[in-house]
Amino acid sequence: KSAHGLFRQDRFPVAIARSVTMTEGELDALSVFQMLGSSYPSVSVRSSSSARKDCQQSFEYLNSFERIYLCLDSDEQGRKASQQIAALFDFNKVFEVKLDLYKDANEYLTKGKEREFKSVWWNAKRYLPEGIVSSLNEFRRILDEDKEKPSIPYPFGSLQERTMGIRTGEFILVTAPEGIGKTEFIRRLEHHLLKTTDVPIGCIHLEESKSR
């Protein structure tokens, strides 16, 4: 390990190449360097728990590269460490190598999947926190995976036209000024469900009289 906290940092001078690849282990850093034809700098943090601190200590070094490729382990600890590292640098500088076949780069090498690794490395996209969707391909995948939910039509034509009915897993808030008819709207909906469907419903009307 170098005195700066990053394994192999001393092997690659500042800004020697356009990019540097960051891994979570020494073997992974060596594996990345080999699989990319020994042409691109690769360094490693000491561990996922020390990743942020290691990169803070070597901030100027890492920031000298135009791109920083995050290639940490594809487990919870690796994802958390990637998020912490990415937060240190400009958004446009950080790219994520999404390992989809194996946990780390060394597994790709030992199992003879150099071509597959190079493919995911060359296709790395700018790092985005989990839950952020930004590409058309991601939109298509989400929509393709989305299953149609059964729906029950509203007894009100214009509302039905605008909402396409009531679906499971959705929360509906009915709000309006006092006295405008919110309770009557709910009563009508309850009556409609009871008369036209076999869907069980539960009602808690806190302001209704017992006789009502």
Side-chain angles (χ1 to χ4, degrees):
K1 292 182 175 64
S2 73
H4 301 282
L6 295 179
F7 174 68
R8 285 172 60 83
Q9 177 177 330
D10 56 328
R11 299 295 183 92
F12 308 106
V14 169
I16 191 176
R18 184 186 182 193
S19 67
V20 61
T21 301
M22 172 81 62
T23 70
E24 193 179 326
E26 298 179 1
L27 282 177
D28 294 323
L30 294 169
S31 298
V32 169
F33 187 66
Q34 180 175 331
M35 287 189 288
L36 295 180
S38 303
S39 302
Y40 298 91
S42 59
V43 296
S44 173
V45 295
R46 289 173 292 171
S47 67
S48 59
S49 60
S50 69
R52 179 180 175 85
K53 183 178 180 181
D54 294 342
C55 292
Q56 284 177 320
Q57 292 175 346
S58 298
F59 178 84
E60 295 299 331
Y61 172 79
L62 294 170
N63 204 44
S64 71
F65 294 89
E66 185 178 332
R67 292 186 174 190
I68 301 170
Y69 284 83
L70 299 183
C71 186
L72 280 69
D73 292 0
S74 59
D75 55 16
E76 184 178 351
Q77 292 78 15
R79 288 188 290 270
K80 182 178 180 180
S82 292
Q83 185 174 359
Q84 293 173 340
I85 295 171
L88 298 174
F89 301 94
D90 184 278
F91 164 77
N92 294 308
K93 186 182 288 283
V94 184
F95 289 72
E96 182 179 18
V97 182
K98 292 190 176 183
L99 305 179
D100 50 1
L101 291 180
Y102 304 109
K103 178 184 175 183
D104 54 45
N106 184 246
E107 276 198 84
Y108 277 81
L109 178 62
T110 56
K111 294 184 179 179
K113 299 296 183 180
E114 293 94 335
R115 180 181 300 177
E116 287 78 1
F117 178 82
K118 285 191 285 187
S119 177
V120 295
W121 191 88
W122 281 106
N123 286 286
K125 307 296 182 189
R126 282 189 176 87
Y127 177 84
L128 290 174
E130 290 188 18
I132 301 297
V133 179
S134 64
S135 72
L136 291 177
N137 286 335
E138 288 175 309
F139 290 139
R140 292 191 187 98
R141 176 179 55 78
I142 291 170
L143 292 175
D144 288 342
E145 292 176 353
D146 190 38
K147 297 180 180 178
E148 281 193 24
K149 296 178 180 178
S151 65
I152 299 171
Y154 281 102
F156 314 106
S158 58
L159 182 60
Q160 171 63 23
E161 183 180 347
R162 287 166 171 77
T163 63
M164 302 303 292
I166 308 167
R167 288 163 294 278
T168 58
E170 296 184 1
F171 185 91
I172 301 166
L173 174 65
V174 179
T175 180
E178 184 178 356
I180 207 168
K182 297 185 297 295
T183 302
E184 292 306 319
F185 171 85
I186 296 298
R187 286 176 182 159
R188 177 70 178 90
L189 188 55
E190 291 168 356
H191 181 268
H192 170 71
L193 292 173
L194 289 171
K195 287 292 187 180
T196 64
T197 77
D198 58 358
V199 175
I201 65 173
C203 307
I204 304 175
H205 288 279
L206 300 177
E207 298 180 356
E208 297 280 13
S209 65
K210 290 182 179 179
S211 60
R212 181 66 182 179

